[in-house]
Amino acid sequence: MMMNPMDLLAALQARWRTAAMIGGILFLMIAILAFIQPRQYMGTASLLLDLSQTDPTDTNTAQGVKPDTDSILGTQTDIIRSGKVMNAVAKEAGFVDAQPADLPANARLQNAATVVSKNMLVTTGRQSNVLQIQYLDPDPQVAAKVANLIAKIYMREQVELRASPARGSAKWFDQQTEEVRRRYELAQKKLSDFQRAHDIIGINRMDLEAEKLKNMSYQLTQAQAEAAAARSKAGAGAVSDIEGSLIVQNLQEQVAEQSAKVSELQKTLGPNHPSMAAANAQLSELQSKLASARASQAGAVNANSVAANRREGDLKSNMAGQEDRMIRMSDVQDQLMVMQRDVDAARQTYDTVRQRFNEAALKSQISQPNASPLDEATVPLLPAKPNIMLWLIGGVALGLIGGIAAIILMEIIHPRVRSAAGVARATEVDVITELMPVPVRQAKFFKQQEAA
């Protein structure tokens, strides 16, 4: 039988006590079940992850690259759930001691870690860097203590995970440093011995020799020009150079003056006159000095020519020797360059190893995690399980549904006609009119009117 809403409402009005009793019984059962369930208290500790923190020793860190928040949070969650953290929490919280003593030590540890992992919940906020570590336990103090302990051990193990590989790397690079240094020193000694054996100072000796040859070529060009000029002076132009000398010109002037003086004295004095004899003697002395100066100047011109020619020859000889030396040094220079490259490669390897060692040593001393405590877990006052309020609300909803379902079932088993539509369905006769009951107040009013 199908019931329309009006019939259902009429049935509820008629059987409300039954619905209330059934709903109350269901609500009471749910309430009793909620209160008899074992209490589980939840301790919650919050950690703030610093995703912007970078490794200060990493020289290859990309700048301006946004970190993958989901990946980092997922990794940190896996670290918290790892056996290393769970085992440490089980030991320090005393769960291992609570296991049966007849079990092996490893089995006791695994069972205790399983208990911790089962009662722990790690949650992350949406688009948030906050990790929430929640732990359930019948004892509220234990729940708060274990939640804080998990956060503490996680940060400690995180530092260890970051520093432990660096310590191994630092140890390995330290061992390699001695061998790399030995190879570097051996290559440097080989290069030094080769330089001493061939009398080479510096790796750019060939460049120095080439510069020296260039200077010699320039000096030879100047010497050739000076030698040509000296030869020209020693040839046809020697007379003009001699006569152009200041000493010769001064002496010529003195001789001319003295000759003029002798000529004047000859006009008035005889050749045997003392003044005339003195003037002639002085003139002879000046002429002798003039001849000597001319001879000396001619010797100087010839000497300059000879010196210029000798310097030109010396430079030619030195330049030829320098060219021969450079030819001989070409093979030596090639060997020297090979040895120098070996030294540079060994030094670069040594510098790289030392740099990596310093970086690893610095990383091994890192003592700060990239997570910091945000909120410590406090002892909860209300249990997290069961949620009494949720159970009571569920009991109310179940009571209402149960009461209504019971009324519907009773109406189906024992149907009642409660409306005009119900009469029409039951008798298959159309209802002409429907008499509604008079309200109580109106009935009282009609009776008072009739009595009056």
Side-chain angles (χ1 to χ4, degrees):
M1 183 184 73
M2 300 297 295
M3 296 180 63
N4 58 30
M6 297 303 298
D7 290 339
L8 177 61
L9 182 61
L12 290 175
Q13 289 178 349
R15 301 177 186 269
W16 68 270
R17 291 183 179 84
T18 303
M21 181 181 65
I22 294 173
I25 293 173
L26 292 176
F27 174 78
L28 183 61
M29 291 174 60
I30 295 296
I32 294 173
L33 183 61
F35 280 101
I36 65 174
Q37 283 191 347
R39 299 289 189 269
Q40 292 285 329
Y41 294 87
M42 178 179 290
T44 303
S46 300
L47 296 175
L48 177 63
L49 293 180
D50 185 6
L51 302 184
S52 63
Q53 180 178 340
T54 57
D55 191 347
T57 64
D58 190 0
T59 59
N60 298 320
T61 303
Q63 300 295 329
V65 178
K66 187 177 180 180
D68 188 353
T69 304
D70 294 337
S71 176
I72 295 176
L73 291 176
T75 301
Q76 302 308 314
T77 301
D78 291 340
I79 293 176
I80 296 175
R81 295 182 179 278
S82 65
K84 191 173 184 179
V85 175
M86 293 295 98
N87 291 341
V89 172
K91 290 179 182 178
E92 297 188 21
F95 291 129
V96 177
D97 298 334
Q99 295 296 316
D102 56 344
L103 292 176
N106 188 36
R108 296 174 64 194
L109 178 60
Q110 293 299 324
N111 291 341
T114 302
V115 171
V116 175
S117 179
K118 180 180 178 181
N119 295 328
M120 182 191 67
L121 178 64
V122 182
T123 60
T124 58
R126 185 176 182 182
Q127 296 181 349
S128 174
N129 300 344
V130 177
L131 280 175
Q132 287 189 342
I133 301 175
Q134 300 173 338
Y135 188 79
L136 288 172
D137 194 87
D139 189 343
Q141 295 184 351
V142 173
K145 175 184 175 182
V146 175
N148 291 327
L149 186 60
I150 294 173
K152 176 183 176 182
I153 294 178
Y154 155 69
M155 290 189 292
R156 184 182 70 195
E157 293 299 331
Q158 187 193 62
V159 173
E160 180 65 20
L161 288 173
R162 297 174 65 190
S164 179
R167 283 196 293 268
S169 298
K171 182 178 180 181
W172 186 84
F173 280 117
D174 189 31
Q175 294 173 352
Q176 295 299 314
T177 299
E178 296 298 328
E179 177 62 21
V180 173
R181 179 187 297 173
R182 186 188 66 80
R183 291 200 298 265
Y184 173 46
E185 293 175 350
L186 182 61
Q188 185 66 51
K189 182 178 183 301
K190 185 178 179 180
L191 175 63
S192 301
D193 294 342
F194 184 82
Q195 288 177 325
R196 282 194 296 269
H198 293 83
D199 193 20
I200 299 175
I201 300 176
I203 191 63
N204 296 323
R205 183 65 178 179
M206 202 67 179
D207 295 338
L208 297 177
E209 296 295 335
E211 185 68 22
K212 186 176 180 181
L213 180 62
K214 181 180 178 181
N215 293 335
M216 285 183 178
S217 177
Y218 177 74
Q219 293 175 5
L220 178 61
T221 301
Q222 289 183 331
Q224 288 175 342
E226 293 174 357
R231 286 193 296 270
S232 176
K233 289 180 180 180
V239 176
S240 61
D241 291 337
I242 293 173
E243 295 300 327
S245 175
L246 293 177
I247 297 176
V248 172
Q249 289 180 357
N250 290 333
L251 290 174
Q252 285 179 343
E253 291 178 358
Q254 293 178 10
V255 169
E257 291 177 357
Q258 190 64 25
S259 297
K261 185 183 293 185
V262 170
S263 298
E264 291 294 329
L265 290 177
Q266 285 178 351
K267 294 178 180 180
T268 56
L269 300 177
N272 295 325
H273 192 277
S275 297
M276 189 64 183
N280 288 328
Q282 187 175 3
L283 178 60
S284 297
E285 182 180 1
L286 290 174
Q287 290 175 344
S288 176
K289 288 182 178 180
L290 178 59
S292 176
R294 286 174 175 170
S296 175
Q297 190 66 26
V301 171
N302 292 330
N304 288 337
S305 177
V306 172
N309 290 332
R310 184 182 301 111
R311 184 167 181 269
E312 180 184 0
D314 293 341
L315 286 174
K316 286 182 178 180
S317 177
N318 292 338
M319 188 172 177
Q322 181 66 17
E323 291 176 350
D324 293 338
R325 177 178 175 81
M326 289 185 65
I327 293 174
R328 291 193 304 269
M329 285 185 61
S330 60
D331 294 338
V332 175
Q333 185 71 18
D334 292 340
Q335 299 180 27
L336 185 65
M337 293 300 294
V338 172
M339 292 183 180
Q340 182 62 42
R341 283 194 292 268
D342 292 341
V343 171
D344 294 340
R347 181 177 58 210
Q348 184 178 4
T349 302
Y350 175 74
D351 293 341
T352 302
V353 171
R354 289 301 301 175
Q355 180 181 1
R356 296 294 298 274
F357 168 74
N358 292 334
E359 292 175 359
L362 185 59
K363 287 182 180 179
S364 65
Q365 298 175 4
I366 292 177
S367 59
Q368 295 296 327
N370 61 349
S372 56
L374 184 62
D375 291 318
E376 290 188 355
T378 57
V379 178
L381 300 178
L382 298 177
K385 290 183 180 181
N387 190 334
I388 303 299
M389 185 60 65
L390 183 61
W391 277 76
L392 294 179
I393 294 174
V396 172
L398 182 61
L400 289 175
I401 295 173
I404 294 174
I407 296 303
I408 294 174
L409 182 62
M410 292 173 64
E411 287 294 320
I412 293 174
I413 297 174
H414 301 288
R416 296 288 188 273
V417 177
R418 302 185 184 279
S419 64
V423 172
R425 286 196 304 270
T427 62
E428 298 182 356
V429 177
D430 294 337
V431 178
I432 299 175
T433 185
E434 181 179 359
L435 299 177
M436 301 299 295
V438 179
V440 177
R441 293 183 180 180
Q442 292 183 3
K444 291 182 180 180
F445 176 74
F446 290 142
K447 289 180 179 180
Q448 292 176 359
Q449 292 294 330
E450 291 177 356

